[in-house]
Amino acid sequence: MGNGVREGPVEFQRDVEPVTARIPAEDNQEKKKVLNSLMSGALAGAVAKTAVAPLDRTKIMFQVSSKRFSAKEAYRLIYHTYLNEGFWSLWRGNSATMVRVIPYAAIQFCAHEEYKQILGNYYGFQGKALTPFPRFIAGSLAGTTAAMVTYPLDMVRARMAVTPKEMYSSIVHVFIRISREEGLKTLYRGFTPTILGVIPYAGLSFFTYETLKKVHAEHSGKAQPSPPERLLFGACAGLIGQSASYPLDVVRRRMQTAGVLGHTYSSILLTMRDIVREEGLVRGLYKGLSMNWVKGPIAVGISFTTFDLTQILLRKLQHGPGLDR
């Protein structure tokens, strides 16, 4: 009996110690994973949006006006802006874009990784690629989460893109003037069409990119696509996602800028009705879409590629060479 009493605690300690040591290690790994996703997403959004900022500003200016869009008119607008306001004016509002897009992209990409893991556990796909429907849901939830958190910054960016420097001198000035003159609720004007647009846009973008990567791995035998292939997959994702949600993007911009352009838009349907009545279905609700077919694929391709490559780089720095996504 004496031996039994002495040996019991020793055996118990031997079983428990690895478990208690493993818990902090797993927590640290999860924290590193989330931090890597946030950093990679932030960089991806900043690089992509800065690259296409002049085209983005031009697109917004057409979206919120009744002018007919064409490639010639878009070029003329960019050229006149350059002549009258200088080269860097083409990036006017980009500071507000960065303030919004860095947290937006960080949250979206990080949330997508987390939603993929949650849905993978729920459907029993741990460590494997999700099936099509969960893949779409993960992208939609990620975009919705990011949009809900950062929406007021999107409103500020739209206002700065369509107004002269004399009206709003800084991001803070936009917030102050909107709050004083139009009320705080104005910061969320256009929020509903934004969410309705984000669901198909983010869902289809992430779904298309992940699907193309999966198909590529199955047919090429390579675990990972090359950077040019990632750019191509991201471009396809942006083209499909933005085309599906574009009319709601036009409605969102009209509602966001109504206060400074002399319009009153009270709801999504009434805004759509007014646009169609004044400008036509295609010329109104799809105004600037051809520019988006240039801008969007470039931006989304850069964004997805930057995120993936930054993730791989950070993991290699943390764990040494030989580790790939």
Side-chain angles (χ1 to χ4, degrees):
M1 288 182 65
N3 287 341
V5 171
R6 284 195 301 272
E7 291 175 2
V10 175
E11 192 64 33
F12 179 78
Q13 288 292 332
R14 202 158 48 228
D15 289 338
V16 170
E17 282 178 1
V19 176
T20 56
R22 196 162 57 240
I23 293 172
E26 290 177 354
D27 287 345
N28 287 336
Q29 283 298 109
E30 184 62 26
K31 287 177 181 177
K32 283 182 180 179
K33 179 185 171 186
V34 171
L35 184 60
N36 285 354
S37 294
L38 288 170
M39 291 172 61
S40 302
L43 181 62
V47 172
K49 279 296 186 181
T50 300
V52 298
L55 294 176
D56 211 17
R57 186 188 179 198
T58 303
K59 182 201 74 172
I60 292 173
M61 293 175 77
F62 273 103
Q63 282 182 327
V64 301
S65 74
S66 58
K67 293 180 182 177
R68 183 177 176 180
F69 175 84
S70 68
K72 184 178 180 180
E73 287 299 317
Y75 169 76
R76 184 176 297 170
L77 177 60
I78 292 172
Y79 184 64
H80 279 238
T81 303
Y82 162 70
L83 288 180
N84 296 329
E85 302 178 41
F87 177 74
W88 293 113
S89 67
L90 297 174
W91 275 264
R92 173 162 168 74
N94 196 51
S95 57
T97 300
M98 290 299 101
V99 171
R100 169 191 172 263
V101 83
I102 288 175
Y104 181 93
I107 293 168
Q108 180 175 239
F109 278 106
C110 183
H112 183 247
E113 295 297 307
E114 295 302 309
Y115 285 131
K116 280 200 303 183
Q117 183 174 326
I118 292 169
L119 290 169
N121 292 337
Y122 180 79
Y123 285 102
F125 300 126
Q126 296 97 324
K128 300 178 183 178
L130 294 174
T131 52
F133 181 68
R135 207 177 300 154
F136 175 82
I137 293 299
S140 296
L141 289 173
T144 302
T145 301
M148 290 175 68
V149 174
T150 62
Y151 185 77
L153 295 169
D154 188 44
M155 159 69 82
V156 169
R157 173 245 186 165
R159 286 290 181 96
M160 291 189 73
V162 301
T163 55
K165 289 184 287 186
E166 295 76 21
M167 186 166 187
Y168 297 121
S169 59
S170 67
I171 298 170
V172 175
H173 189 208
V174 182
F175 275 110
I176 292 173
R177 282 199 62 174
I178 290 176
S179 301
R180 285 179 179 173
E181 298 173 10
E182 303 174 57
L184 285 172
K185 67 178 182 179
T186 303
L187 293 172
Y188 280 89
R189 181 179 293 161
F191 178 72
T192 302
T194 297
I195 295 299
L196 292 177
V198 159
I199 291 172
Y201 169 66
L204 286 170
S205 295
F206 279 106
F207 168 83
T208 303
Y209 185 69
E210 295 286 325
T211 299
L212 289 174
K213 283 172 58 179
K214 182 175 181 290
V215 171
H216 173 271
E218 291 172 351
H219 286 79
S220 69
K222 296 189 296 183
Q224 295 298 326
S226 64
E229 288 170 333
R230 291 180 192 272
L231 277 171
L232 178 61
F233 298 163
C236 292
L239 186 66
I240 293 171
Q242 293 191 345
S243 297
S245 61
Y246 195 79
L248 286 165
D249 190 45
V250 174
V251 171
R252 169 176 64 124
R253 293 304 184 199
R254 291 294 179 96
M255 295 180 76
Q256 285 177 335
T257 58
V260 292
L261 297 178
H263 297 288
T264 303
Y265 297 120
S266 57
S267 71
I268 298 172
L269 292 178
L270 290 176
T271 304
M272 282 187 168
R273 185 198 67 183
D274 289 347
I275 293 172
V276 171
R277 185 175 59 194
E278 294 171 10
E279 304 167 48
L281 178 64
V282 176
R283 291 179 181 175
L285 291 179
Y286 288 90
K287 180 185 293 183
L289 178 59
S290 57
M291 176 174 283
N292 236 37
W293 284 342
V294 175
K295 176 193 76 70
I298 293 172
V300 178
I302 292 173
S303 181
F304 277 123
T305 303
T306 303
F307 176 78
D308 277 356
L309 296 182
T310 306
Q311 282 275 77
I312 292 170
L313 176 62
L314 289 173
R315 290 176 182 180
K316 283 183 176 179
L317 289 174
Q318 291 171 357
H319 301 286
L323 186 69
D324 209 343
R325 185 183 167 108

